[in-house]
Amino acid sequence: MAQPTLFAQTMRAGRKHSTGLFLLSFLANLLLLASSVYMLQVFDRVLASGSFDTLMWLSVIALLAIVTYGFLEFARRKVLSRTGAWISAELSPEVIRRSISDRLETGRSPAGLGDVQDIRNFIGGDAILAFLDAPWTPVFIAVIWMMHPVLGVIAVAGAIVLFLIGVLNDLVTRRRQAEANVKLRQVQNDAQAFVENAETLTGMGMIGSVLARWQASRDVADQEGAGATELSSVLFNLSRAIRLGLQIAILGAGAALVLMTELTAGGMIAASIILARALSPVERAISAWKAFGSYRLASRRLEALFRATKEPTKRVSLPKPDGKLFVKDLRYFAPDTRAPLVKSVSLQLEPGQLCGVLGPSGSGKSSLCRLLVGAWRPSFGEIRLDGAELAEWDSEERGRYVGYLPQQVELFTGTVAENIARMGDVDDAKVLAAAKKSGAHEMILALPEGYETRLGQFRDQLSGGQKQRIGLARALYDDPSLIVLDEPNSNLDGNGEIALQHALAGMKKAGQTVVVVTHVPSLLRQVDKVAVIKDGTLQKFGDRDEVLREMMAKPRPAPTQTKEAAE
């Protein structure tokens, strides 16, 4: 039997207040009978006896019951609201972590924070109250039946009809609403991507075209969602009309019973009020079905995400490596298309060696970088750091010993110092040391607030070169043993190139193992080894001078024999 996932365990823990909620719901619904009992007593006793004292005390008791109901209702909503907030707080960080992991493993993530929000909205909203109140509908119907069986038959028939409408609503709208929600979420993601790439869209005059395509996609999603919503609305309005008709029916039947002296006038009015309360949860449940559908779909997605990703395990803490890198028969296939991105790579670097990686665009250099830092898991082969496979290291622990500068440098919301410190606790000495080693110290001091300059989405006005230099400082933070630089000079000016040269010399002097992808020959002056990759396969690997000599050597044409020589 499969073990319950962390998601299932969290949801189970969130249900620990179920018993208390059912008790509160029972008491709240019981107190709602106060108005019916009050009406029954007023019509049948007070008006008949003419006692003002009885009327006063009945009114005081009824008001106390309603006030108590208000407190109980507040308590129910408070418990649900806090439960939803607790579940969101427990799941959100784990969902982000697992989404990142699944995105790297499979190329996509089945769930996200939007699903967590759907669960929180359902648990903390009005929809779940309708489901909590629905079990007490038979109790109210039983009370009506005790007043008179004819009224009970009307109440039972009405409840059955409304229940069937609710089932029909689920059958005809569930699938359509789920598909519409998926498409609407994709449309929202596309819109966010447009905003994030505002410079490209504006600079190339693409706003109109992408918005036209986005509008068409949104219209399709809206139409599917609107169809399901309209159908649900029709069924909801039908249920409301039936409920109002039932109240007229029960009043009419009650009046007839009063005329036949089988029911009192107070009983007639009370039965009408109780019926309205009995059918209200069923009617509300129909209108809340959309929220329930979103909750159910979100639960499935999150369960799939948690089942697809491994639970974090406690690993033995390994000492800081010296930087010995061993790669054997490394292969990697794209998770979505299974296309081979890295076909065959084997190499070995000793601590303190610098390796330059050369190759044409699309040859697999960036893929190799992601594999070397543990961002991607190899499909076949092995990568070892000081003899230990990368997978044997805890991700957080390994990250302290590995520096990585990707082609596209992303800086996150926070200060420059926080970004260099990898968004952890800022150690001023280590931040300054990393900035100076990367040659970014003077550039950072020239920023409006120096190391305290705020960065982040829509506020980051740094140039590509400035981002790259801060990214290099982040890679060098806390003196990692292995440093992987993917085209670190792609956005650098002359001063940045010089700073990078000095930084590479410093890494070599510090005994750090460095893998640097570059197309610039000047950077190769610093390297000890050169690896040449083509079509995902390592073509050449060896000492710099030897490999470059082979690459520069041009094959001489075979000598042609003249006719005379042949003779």
Side-chain angles (χ1 to χ4, degrees):
M1 183 176 179
Q3 292 294 325
T5 62
L6 181 60
F7 169 72
Q9 294 174 15
T10 302
M11 296 302 293
R12 185 181 302 164
R15 290 192 288 269
K16 66 181 180 181
H17 298 298
S18 298
T19 303
L21 283 170
F22 275 109
L23 178 61
L24 288 175
S25 298
F26 168 73
L27 294 175
N29 282 274
L30 188 64
L31 289 173
L32 280 176
L33 290 173
S35 59
S36 303
V37 174
Y38 177 76
M39 192 70 64
L40 180 66
Q41 295 299 319
V42 166
F43 272 85
D44 294 348
R45 291 194 177 189
V46 174
L47 295 183
S49 65
S51 172
F52 282 97
D53 290 337
T54 303
L55 177 61
M56 181 186 69
W57 284 111
L58 283 174
S59 300
V60 170
I61 294 172
L63 288 174
L64 287 175
I66 296 302
V67 171
T68 304
Y69 164 78
F71 280 111
L72 293 176
E73 186 70 10
F74 172 78
R76 282 204 307 171
R77 292 179 180 273
K78 193 73 172 178
V79 170
L80 290 171
S81 176
R82 290 191 174 184
T83 300
W86 179 83
I87 290 176
S88 177
E90 289 292 312
L91 290 180
S92 293
E94 195 66 22
V95 167
I96 295 174
R97 187 186 69 80
R98 291 172 183 264
S99 295
I100 292 173
S101 175
D102 207 37
R103 172 69 176 81
L104 294 173
E105 289 284 342
T106 66
R108 63 179 63 87
S109 175
L113 288 181
D115 297 298
V116 178
Q117 189 62 38
D118 286 343
I119 288 179
R120 178 176 181 174
N121 290 341
F122 175 75
I123 294 177
D126 291 333
I128 197 170
L129 292 175
F131 294 105
L132 285 172
D133 291 337
W136 309 113
T137 293
V139 176
F140 291 117
I141 293 177
V143 173
I144 295 175
W145 193 287
M146 287 188 294
M147 290 182 174
H148 199 283
V150 173
L151 302 182
V153 169
I154 295 174
V156 170
I160 292 175
V161 170
L162 292 182
F163 175 76
L164 292 177
I165 291 176
V167 173
L168 179 63
N169 179 58
D170 179 50
L171 293 177
V172 299
T173 64
R174 179 197 302 179
R175 182 176 178 181
R176 295 174 63 182
Q177 192 65 57
E179 293 175 350
N181 288 342
V182 171
K183 292 183 178 180
L184 285 172
R185 182 160 295 178
Q186 182 60 49
V187 168
Q188 293 171 356
N189 293 337
D190 291 342
Q192 183 64 29
F194 296 155
V195 176
E196 292 175 354
N197 294 277
E199 295 85 356
T200 301
L201 297 180
T202 303
M204 301 183 68
M206 297 169 59
I207 295 179
S209 58
V210 297
L211 286 182
R213 293 173 65 88
W214 178 82
Q215 184 75 37
S217 300
R218 194 196 70 170
D219 289 345
V220 172
D222 280 345
Q223 288 174 4
E224 293 187 8
T229 301
E230 288 174 2
L231 184 56
S232 181
S233 178
V234 168
L235 294 175
F236 172 71
N237 290 326
L238 176 62
S239 67
R240 173 167 288 186
I242 291 174
R243 184 174 66 81
L244 293 175
L246 287 170
Q247 284 191 269
I248 293 175
I250 205 166
L251 279 173
L257 292 172
V258 171
L259 293 176
M260 292 185 293
T261 67
E262 295 186 20
L263 186 71
T264 63
M268 176 188 69
I269 300 299
S272 176
I273 297 174
I274 295 174
L275 178 67
R277 181 57 193 169
L279 300 183
S280 176
V282 182
E283 181 185 344
R284 285 159 50 209
I286 295 175
S287 65
W289 209 259
K290 179 179 178 180
F292 177 65
S294 298
Y295 164 81
R296 184 167 48 190
L297 182 61
S299 297
R300 290 175 183 171
R301 287 174 173 170
L302 289 169
E303 177 65 20
L305 172 65
F306 278 71
R307 197 163 291 282
T309 51
K310 297 180 180 179
E311 298 292 338
T313 57
K314 183 67 176 177
R315 296 181 180 273
V316 176
S317 181
L318 298 175
K320 182 177 181 179
D322 295 325
K324 183 177 181 179
L325 181 66
F326 177 79
V327 179
K328 181 180 179 181
D329 195 22
L330 184 63
R331 285 177 280 175
Y332 178 77
F333 301 95
D336 47 356
T337 64
R338 304 305 298 170
L341 302 182
V342 177
K343 299 177 183 177
S344 179
V345 173
S346 297
L347 55 85
Q348 183 172 341
L349 295 175
E350 297 298 325
Q353 286 188 328
L354 275 65
C355 177
V357 180
L358 306 179
S361 298
S363 60
K365 302 187 301 296
S366 294
S367 299
L368 176 61
C369 290
R370 298 185 183 105
L371 289 165
L372 292 180
V373 298
W376 289 356
R377 187 183 296 270
S379 302
F380 298 97
E382 57 183 341
I383 304 174
R384 293 183 177 273
L385 187 60
D386 277 26
E389 281 200 64
L390 287 186
E392 295 179 10
W393 295 76
D394 177 78
S395 176
E396 297 293 326
E397 184 177 353
R398 182 187 65 228
R400 297 201 302 268
Y401 308 138
V402 175
Y404 178 43
L405 178 66
Q407 280 192 35
Q408 301 296 327
V409 179
E410 293 293 338
L411 300 177
F412 304 100
T413 300
T415 65
V416 171
E418 290 169 339
N419 272 270
I420 293 176
R422 306 185 181 187
M423 306 308 293
D425 295 333
V426 176
D427 186 314
D428 293 343
K430 292 181 180 180
V431 168
L432 291 173
K436 290 178 179 178
K437 289 176 184 177
S438 67
H441 178 65
E442 298 296 333
M443 181 271 293
I444 295 173
L445 290 179
L447 295 176
E449 297 181 53
Y451 284 90
E452 300 304 316
T453 301
R454 299 288 300 180
L455 307 175
Q457 191 179 24
F458 308 125
R459 291 177 289 174
D460 188 359
Q461 301 300 318
L462 298 180
S463 67
Q466 289 174 313
K467 290 181 182 179
Q468 202 159 36
R469 294 174 72 176
I470 293 175
L472 179 58
R474 180 175 61 191
L476 297 178
Y477 181 77
D478 204 14
D479 294 324
S481 302
L482 173 65
I483 301 171
V484 179
L485 310 175
D486 192 357
E487 298 196 27
N489 56 339
S490 58
N491 293 306
L492 299 182
D493 55 14
N495 292 332
E497 288 272 6
I498 295 173
L500 178 59
Q501 291 280 1
H502 290 309
L504 289 173
M507 297 177 211
K508 186 173 184 179
K509 185 177 179 180
Q512 296 168 305
T513 305
V514 181
V515 177
V516 54
V517 175
T518 182
H519 293 289
V520 179
S522 60
L523 286 185
L524 297 180
R525 299 172 187 168
Q526 304 287 348
V527 305
D528 305 293
K529 303 285 185 178
V530 170
V532 181
I533 296 180
K534 184 178 181 181
D535 296 330
T537 302
L538 184 66
Q539 301 287 335
K540 300 178 186 297
F541 175 72
D543 293 336
R544 177 196 61 191
D545 295 339
E546 180 181 345
V547 174
L548 293 181
R549 190 180 304 114
E550 291 180 12
M551 294 178 63
M552 296 295 293
K554 295 181 179 179
R556 297 180 180 179
T560 58
Q561 293 182 337
T562 63
K563 183 177 181 180
E564 293 78 8
E567 295 175 350

